[in-house]
Amino acid sequence: MKNISGDQISKIQVKDLNLWFDTKHVLKDVSIEIYEKEITAIIGPSGCGKSTFLRCLNRMNDLIPSTKIEGEILLDGKNILENDIDPVDLRKDVGMVFQKPNPFPKSIYENIVFAPKIHGIEEIKKDPKTGKEKIVRRKPTKEELDQIVEKCLKRAALWNEVKDRLNKSAYDLSGGQQQRLCIARTMSIEPEVILFDEPCSALDPIATAKIEDLLVDLRKDYTVVIVTHNMQQAARVADRTAFFYMGDLVEYGPTKRLFEKPEKELTEQYLTGRMG
Amino acid sequence: MDTKIYKRENRARRYAEGGITGILGACGILSVLILALVFIFLITNSIPFFQSVGLVNFFTGTQWDPFASEAMWGVLPLLTGTILVSFVGAIIAIPIGLGCTIYLSELADSKVKKILKPAIEILAGVPSVIYGLFAALVLSNWIMEIFDPSYRLNALNGAIILAIMMIPIQVSVSEEAMNAVPRNLREASYAMGATRWETIKSVIIPAALPGIIASIALAIGRAVGETMAVLMATGNASQFSFDILTSVRTMTAALAIDVPEAAIGSLQYQGLFAVGLLLFIITFVINLIADMVLSKYQETYK
Ligand SMILES: Nc1ncnc2c1ncn2[C@@H]1O[C@H](COP(=O)(O)OP(=O)(O)O)[C@@H](O)[C@H]1O
Ligand SMILES: [Mg+2]
């Protein structure tokens, strides 16, 4: 498969992924290749395992004790399911935006600087004696935090709306603004991949349109995977679309092809609304 | 016909709702009213005492002995007794309680939780005389061995037993507050690469802080008002001292001990109301401070 811009760089390769919650087999032999700086949409009826699949990509399912997982997920060629991968580090490369906007009950500013404050800022320092270079972490300065806040809010197209009230509670924002704040907050960790789990399902059409514009814009810098139950949304924003049904990846391909000429009977039934 | 029935039902429901609102409102007003009555009752009964003994005498005297031939009315030894025992108790209880809460709500697996939670609730309901018994007969010996105090029953003994009584109250209330922090806030934190501990420290505790503060205020209020256990634990010698290893008498203990001997309407009787009034004001102030901390916190974070 060719990348939309023609350069065909694979970012994530999922191979024979199986997942169980206790004895419930939720993902069945899923194999899929996700390309860098594209938007990949996951569609399918509710309960088919879309969110669960997405949460494999940043190992959020690790938080559920009954999870059992088999297979491989290669991120830039490295299997993130290996024991030696720390999910805490993984999640700094793979950000996530949730279904319901979930800002912290803190100010707008504090929401954005949450992760930079925790993780600190990486600096390459030369040892004056040995001359060796090493990475050190230090606390960010106030100026650095201010810069991060401005950069992230601008990137999430929220800066103009909130720049005069950064110290106001994030809860004073509208739902759409809160969701863009959550997107800005995710950018503060400088991820390479951003996962979106139905980010517009709690928003009105105008707020949804803004997020969709933002998604298309993010594609320049990030690899985006988005779960949506809204087929039109997938059609509007996604380069490729994957259709899941009862834990199986039924069909995967360029969005236009999949919507216009689905190869599988099930996909066609779903797209034409003859199925839940 | 149909519309008529609908209208009647509607009106009935409105009456029912109005009635419920009325009853609940009355309960609220009643509780405020009772509070006001208790306060007025304490004031009117202690006014004659302050008139004859004087505020200065009461607040600066260092001896409390209402039944001596030359009665002494200094509340200071009782006040320091209460403060020493409750606040040292609180200093011991608060960090341990917070630790227990974090363990119980965030770290313990569900099986351990199923046993610990009811156990803590039972501990919170054990009659205080049992704690007093334990303090007087067991804890005091341990303290003797470690600190070798000149009094077997002393303020430290009372403080520790109060701490033991405060912890379950604090834990059961603040654990609920931490549990109530929505899952999606935890997920937001984890999704940004925060560790479990960072999530607890930077998300869960701040979000649950109002409940945690309320639980601490509740526990301190309980400690200040606790009578039986401290009475049994502290040795009951009314002396003005800040030494944690001496015997003390708290305000509550003084009330409990002196009430049976005070003839109704006598100066002793009125003096006890003055002590009661002071106790009432202290607990009131503790709650007020908790409220102020809360509203300040909510201003900055909500
Ligand atoms: N924590 C969990 N424990 C057990 N079963 C779960 C859990 N989360 C999801 N499931 C089950 O896994 C299946 C897939 O869920 P999900 O991935 O949320 O579906 P979708 O996002 O496509 O609606 C559902 O049948 C759901 O009931
Ligand atoms: Mg879902």
Side-chain angles (χ1 to χ4, degrees):
Chain A
M1 261 190 239
K2 278 247 163 187
N3 178 297
I4 296 296
S5 48
D7 27 305
Q8 200 182 13
I9 305 167
S10 159
K11 185 73 183 170
I12 301 171
Q13 282 170 290
V14 177
K15 293 180 184 165
D16 299 318
L17 183 71
N18 280 283
L19 185 142
W20 293 261
F21 289 128
D22 280 324
T23 53
K24 193 173 157 84
H25 199 173
V26 176
L27 294 174
K28 298 163 191 165
D29 286 323
V30 174
S31 295
I32 187 171
E33 192 153 8
I34 291 164
Y35 293 89
E36 188 165 52
K37 296 189 180 161
E38 281 194 5
I39 299 180
T40 303
I42 315 276
I43 60 169
S46 103
C48 69
K50 304 183 295 294
S51 300
T52 305
F53 172 73
L54 200 68
R55 295 161 69 92
C56 289
L57 303 181
N58 65 345
R59 286 188 51 184
M60 282 296 270
N61 288 320
D62 285 26
L63 300 174
I64 301 163
S66 63
T67 310
K68 197 177 134 227
I69 191 162
E70 276 173 11
E72 278 182 20
I73 301 176
L74 307 178
L75 174 68
D76 293 328
K78 185 138 182 45
N79 186 5
I80 61 168
L81 298 181
E82 290 292 347
N83 285 332
D84 64 341
I85 295 280
D86 185 348
V88 167
D89 289 332
L90 170 68
R91 292 178 196 138
K92 293 178 202 165
D93 292 331
V94 184
M96 185 168 215
V97 174
F98 296 81
Q99 191 163 354
K100 215 175 125 229
N102 56 357
F104 297 123
K106 301 176 190 245
S107 68
I108 294 167
Y109 187 95
E110 286 296 326
N111 265 276
I112 308 281
V113 301
F114 176 85
K117 270 186 176 170
I118 283 180
H119 301 318
I121 285 191
E122 277 185 1
E123 243 181 5
I124 298 170
K125 269 223 172 114
K126 246 189 184 158
D127 194 310
K129 282 178 199 149
T130 59
K132 267 189 198 155
E133 284 190 344
K134 57 175 181 179
I135 296 173
V136 282
R137 285 183 175 280
R138 62 165 174 82
K139 267 175 81 167
T141 64
K142 173 83 174 103
E143 289 73 44
E144 283 168 330
L145 291 177
D146 289 349
Q147 278 169 13
I148 291 170
V149 169
E150 182 169 346
K151 193 178 94 192
C152 294
L153 286 173
K154 278 186 171 156
R155 194 70 184 85
L158 189 59
W159 174 251
N160 286 331
E161 289 158 64
V162 302
K163 62 171 184 259
D164 301 321
R165 47 173 173 151
L166 293 176
N167 292 316
K168 289 275 156 57
S169 166
Y171 285 10
D172 293 343
L173 300 174
S174 72
Q177 289 173 325
Q178 287 189 13
Q179 196 60 302
R180 275 179 284 146
L181 177 65
C182 293
I183 296 173
R185 185 176 64 181
T186 300
M187 285 166 179
S188 73
I189 56 175
E190 300 181 338
E192 294 165 13
V193 180
I194 305 184
L195 313 172
F196 291 84
D197 191 352
E198 304 197 25
C200 302
S201 64
L203 305 182
D204 64 58
I206 294 172
T208 299
K210 279 189 185 159
I211 303 257
E212 286 182 7
D213 288 345
L214 178 58
L215 283 171
V216 172
D217 187 51
L218 290 183
R219 183 163 155 277
K220 282 188 260 167
D221 305 313
Y222 304 94
T223 303
V224 172
V225 185
I226 175 173
V227 166
T228 173
H229 62 227
N230 178 337
M231 283 179 267
Q232 286 75 35
Q233 183 167 66
R236 281 191 298 264
V237 304
D239 299 305
R240 283 171 222 265
T241 298
F243 170 59
F244 276 67
Y245 185 69
M246 291 175 69
D248 286 308
L249 172 59
V250 176
E251 188 167 351
Y252 178 48
T255 303
K256 200 161 178 305
R257 206 275 296 140
L258 188 121
F259 274 81
E260 283 169 6
K261 279 200 222 91
E263 281 163 5
K264 300 274 165 55
E265 180 76 27
L266 268 172
T267 316
E268 175 158 11
Q269 279 179 4
Y270 181 70
L271 292 174
T272 53
R274 277 182 284 137
M275 177 207 289
Chain B
M1 192 60 191
D2 275 348
T3 53
K4 217 174 189 176
I5 291 172
Y6 173 69
K7 264 186 189 157
R8 263 239 296 288
E9 274 180 356
N10 217 357
R11 197 186 304 152
R13 194 172 61 216
R14 233 187 3 251
Y15 282 141
E17 279 174 7
I20 290 166
T21 314
I23 291 169
L24 294 180
C27 291
I29 292 171
L30 191 69
S31 60
V32 174
L33 210 65
I34 290 174
L35 190 71
L37 280 178
V38 168
F39 192 55
I40 292 168
F41 179 68
L42 288 171
I43 287 186
T44 50
N45 275 291
S46 47
I47 280 176
F49 168 82
F50 286 121
Q51 279 167 345
S52 58
V53 171
L55 276 175
V56 176
N57 231 336
F58 182 66
F59 280 111
T60 59
T62 57
Q63 261 182 306
W64 178 262
D65 196 352
F67 298 103
S69 51
E70 202 160 310
M72 299 291 215
W73 299 107
V75 80
L76 276 181
L78 307 183
L79 192 61
T80 53
T82 290
I83 290 175
L84 209 55
V85 174
S86 334
F87 286 85
V88 172
I91 287 166
I92 299 170
I94 290 168
I96 297 176
L98 199 58
C100 289
T101 310
I102 291 170
Y103 173 74
L104 194 63
S105 116
E106 303 301 320
L107 307 176
D109 70 72
S110 55
K111 273 183 219 147
V112 178
K113 226 169 152 169
K114 266 203 192 104
I115 301 168
L116 274 185
K117 259 180 91 164
I120 284 170
E121 257 134 52
I122 290 168
L123 277 180
V126 170
S128 59
V129 67
I130 309 275
Y131 286 106
L133 209 62
F134 173 76
L137 302 182
V138 182
L139 187 61
S140 58
N141 294 335
W142 297 347
I143 290 176
M144 281 295 276
E145 273 177 32
I146 299 170
F147 295 102
D148 191 28
S150 33
Y151 301 85
R152 201 174 78 88
L153 298 178
N154 51 44
L156 181 63
N157 198 22
I160 293 175
I161 202 65
L162 274 187
I164 293 172
M165 296 170 73
M166 287 159 90
I167 288 167
I169 300 172
Q170 188 195 337
V171 171
S172 61
V173 174
S174 55
E175 196 263 348
E176 227 143 86
M178 286 183 55
N179 255 337
V181 175
R183 201 178 85 152
N184 66 10
L185 288 188
R186 296 159 199 260
E187 288 194 326
S189 174
Y190 287 124
M192 281 188 298
T195 60
R196 181 135 83 163
W197 175 241
E198 286 160 350
T199 301
I200 291 171
K201 194 179 73 156
S202 310
V203 176
I204 299 171
I205 291 180
L209 201 61
I212 294 172
I213 291 173
S215 76
I216 291 172
L218 194 69
I220 295 179
R222 169 85 197 272
V224 168
E226 175 51 44
T227 309
M228 188 45 89
V230 284
L231 196 153
M232 294 165 79
T234 57
N236 260 312
S238 146
Q239 32 186 334
F240 179 55
S241 160
F242 287 99
D243 182 359
I244 189 78
L245 291 175
T246 63
S247 285
V248 295
R249 178 178 291 189
T250 61
M251 298 165 72
T252 49
L255 287 178
I257 292 166
D258 292 347
V259 158
E261 297 178 43
I264 292 176
S266 65
L267 192 60
Q268 283 90 352
Y269 175 90
Q270 291 159 350
L272 293 182
F273 275 101
V275 175
L277 180 65
L278 186 58
L279 196 58
F280 183 88
I281 291 171
I282 290 174
T283 45
F284 196 79
V285 168
I286 290 169
N287 281 307
L288 213 62
I289 292 172
D291 273 352
M292 267 155 45
V293 172
L294 271 186
S295 63
K296 183 133 189 268
Y297 167 81
Q298 275 158 351
E299 252 167 46
T300 42
Y301 282 104
K302 280 262 162 175

